[in-house]
Amino acid sequence: MRAPDIIMRKRDGHALSAGEIGYMIQGMLTGEVPDYQISAFCMAVFFQGMTPEETTALTMAMADSGRRVDLAAIRGVKIDKHSTGGVGDTTTLVLTPMVAAAGVPVAKMSGRGLGHTGGTLDKLESIPGFRVSLSEREFVDQVNRIGLAVVGQTEDVAPADKRLYALRDVTATVESIPLIASSIISKKLATGADAIVLDVKVGSGAFMHELGKARELALAMVDIGRMAGRRMAALITDMNQPLGQAVGNSLEVIEAIDTLSGRSGGRLLELCFELGARMVVLGGACDGIKDARVILRRLVESGAALAKLKEMVEAQGGDVSCVDDPGRIEVAPLSTLIRAPKDGYVCRADALTLGRAAATMGAGRQRKTDSVDLGCGLRVLVSVGDRVEVGQPVAELFASAQSRLDEGTIEATSAFAYSDAPCQAPPLIYEAVEA
Ligand code: URA
Ligand code: CA
């Protein structure tokens, strides 16, 4: 086999065999196929796409490129959940304790933020002492003991995806459905869950900007997962405005605790009930989504879900007093308000722009090696469709340096638009992909 022939065949729109795809992925790892050929291959895939069989072959090649985590020692159906990436998207911290409290074991491996999107590991590290790296033994024991662990993915899981993603990131080949689907599902297969619930984001702050494309991505991921013997469900959800109020690590952890304490609700809690209900059903703890939703709501109202979060924080060495009093979680010292410039209706609170503003203030990375300032970010105080009066605060910003606060203020201000006539709020959930 020769890499130039394989690239040419893909360029000309032919379907590749599993052997040819495996050759490229293995060759990338051994160095036999250099980065420039892998980059050209990705661009050919970007333009020509892949058949479901090719996407599955690519997924399997990446899943098998490193170690597969063995969760067999965990009792019961292990549930994982994955979001394709968003802004103000704190669902993991809210819904995993809820689902665990419902008796379904959650063994979750999470990532860090990149660009304008947040990552669960960074958020968890804003709880003093919280350890995101556990040994596989500790991970399995903790899930068996308390039903919940959220940790970082180890370096040896799907190394081909890491290499490929780094190349795609700098060759304008990220937004390809077969490449995204294989990237996400290869990691999920390698980390061992029996059932996976996907939150596929669509909108300005997501990789997919059109509903049709998001649906295609969701179907591709559900199909690959099923072919690999996993139980799958997906929701296509809105990412035109941030999901929750908070954008930024400490701020999002505070919001997650407030949400589980009943002090905060809105879209974030609603989506957690919808995703969580599907996790509970796939986990076999309940037959119908409707009943599962009722169970989860009760677990939040009774404080059981919050207690489960506290158990996890304690088990992973975090300061549990932060859960009782989220005011103890440190937020950046400088803050300012953005106010509505006129009476009217909020017709835009753009997720991408707000995510970028938070990153500008220090909440995100531009490169994987950058460190983040956990206390920075913003709170969006309005939603699309809300009526506002001139001077009413629409966002509260937090930064550690005045220059960054000023820069973030300019950026965040441009995220909002107002109209005299009422505007319609976008739906929270566009559709469910179950088959
Ligand atoms: N998230 C991933 O893990 N991979 C992609 O390609 C896109 C989003
Ligand atoms: Ca975020």
Side-chain angles (χ1 to χ4, degrees), residues 86-90 116-119 123 246-248 252:
V87 176
D89 179 4
T90 322
H116 71 278
T117 66
K123 294 172 201 175
V247 184
E252 289 187 40

Side-chain angles (χ1 to χ4, degrees), residues 84 165 168 179-180 183-184 187 207:
T84 58
Y165 194 91
R168 288 167 55 210
L179 294 180
I180 296 175
S183 167
I184 291 173
K187 283 174 283 202
F207 286 122

